[in-house]
Amino acid sequence: GTFENFDTYEFDLRYQPLEEQRAWVDLAIRAGASWFSEKGANEAAPFAQVLVDRTFANRVLIAAGLSYHERASAPERKNNKSGWALAASASTEVRISDALAWDAEVVTNLAGLNQRYTIWCTGPKLLTNRHTFAVVVSNAQAVTVDTLVAGSRRGVDELVI
């Protein structure tokens, strides 16, 4: 079992009209649906994202995005705590060496369901030939679009590691 009383699955398609090698930036459009599965209840809702990034000197990645979800949700998913949401994101990854990087990301709610705080996370990342290991310090446990767009209920005094 998991901590949550429900599971979320994302199904998506991604189209990349621009590639950095030819157009200076990577641009991707991602669309799909989240499927929420809970004992006695299931539902699906659409989402869409526009993502852009650029790598500098093969060491620094800077990215930004705009995300929308029709049924954004709080960590404790309840019908009275879900609705549409729109959010903007920005992130960076700095490659300290071939095997070590530092990542940082923020996601801020622009409209719709809002859990009060901007989501942020940061931490070191170890890269190997086949695996990536990271220590993430954040004010949220969000990893799917439905929860990222809604923001966090935690401030800086309630960290998650």
Side-chain angles (χ1 to χ4, degrees), residues 117-133:
Y117 297 105
T118 293
I119 292 176
W120 60 268
C121 63
T122 188
K125 185 162 68 172
L126 180 63
L127 305 130
T128 69
N129 288 337
R130 296 179 185 248
H131 301 284
T132 300
F133 303 94

Side-chain angles (χ1 to χ4, degrees), residues 20-37:
E20 185 176 327
Q21 295 83 355
R22 295 186 200 113
W24 197 76
V25 296
D26 290 320
L27 173 69
I29 300 165
R30 181 177 179 237
S34 297
W35 172 37
F36 309 102
S37 177

Side-chain angles (χ1 to χ4, degrees), residues 48-51 63-69 72 85-92 104-111 113-122 138-154:
Q49 293 181 296
V50 176
L51 307 164
L66 189 63
S67 301
Y68 170 82
H69 202 288
L86 178 69
S89 61
S91 64
T92 188
E105 181 174 4
V106 295
V107 181
T108 191
N109 178 279
L110 300 175
L113 179 69
N114 187 341
Q115 292 295 306
R116 186 171 180 192
Y117 297 105
T118 293
I119 292 176
W120 60 268
C121 63
T122 188
S138 180
N139 68 333
Q141 291 172 279
V143 293
T144 55
V145 178
D146 65 298
T147 51
L148 286 169
V149 295
S152 177
R153 62 180 170 75
R154 294 181 177 104

Side-chain angles (χ1 to χ4, degrees), residues 6-124:
F6 62 92
D7 290 315
T8 304
Y9 304 93
E10 285 186 349
F11 302 94
D12 69 333
L13 295 172
R14 190 180 105 165
Y15 172 64
Q16 188 171 349
L18 298 178
E19 293 182 12
E20 185 176 327
Q21 295 83 355
R22 295 186 200 113
W24 197 76
V25 296
D26 290 320
L27 173 69
I29 300 165
R30 181 177 179 237
S34 297
W35 172 37
F36 309 102
S37 177
E38 185 174 13
K39 186 176 181 178
N42 287 293
E43 74 175 16
F47 68 84
Q49 293 181 296
V50 176
L51 307 164
V52 63
D53 69 56
R54 171 90 173 131
T55 303
F56 297 92
N58 206 27
R59 290 285 181 200
V60 178
L61 173 74
I62 297 177
L66 189 63
S67 301
Y68 170 82
H69 202 288
E70 185 66 28
R71 294 277 289 167
S73 60
E76 301 85 20
R77 184 164 174 75
K78 297 176 185 164
N79 286 336
N80 62 349
K81 274 297 204 182
S82 64
W84 69 272
L86 178 69
S89 61
S91 64
T92 188
E93 177 178 289
V94 177
R95 281 284 181 99
I96 299 163
S97 70
D98 288 343
L100 183 64
W102 194 277
D103 287 8
E105 181 174 4
V106 295
V107 181
T108 191
N109 178 279
L110 300 175
L113 179 69
N114 187 341
Q115 292 295 306
R116 186 171 180 192
Y117 297 105
T118 293
I119 292 176
W120 60 268
C121 63
T122 188

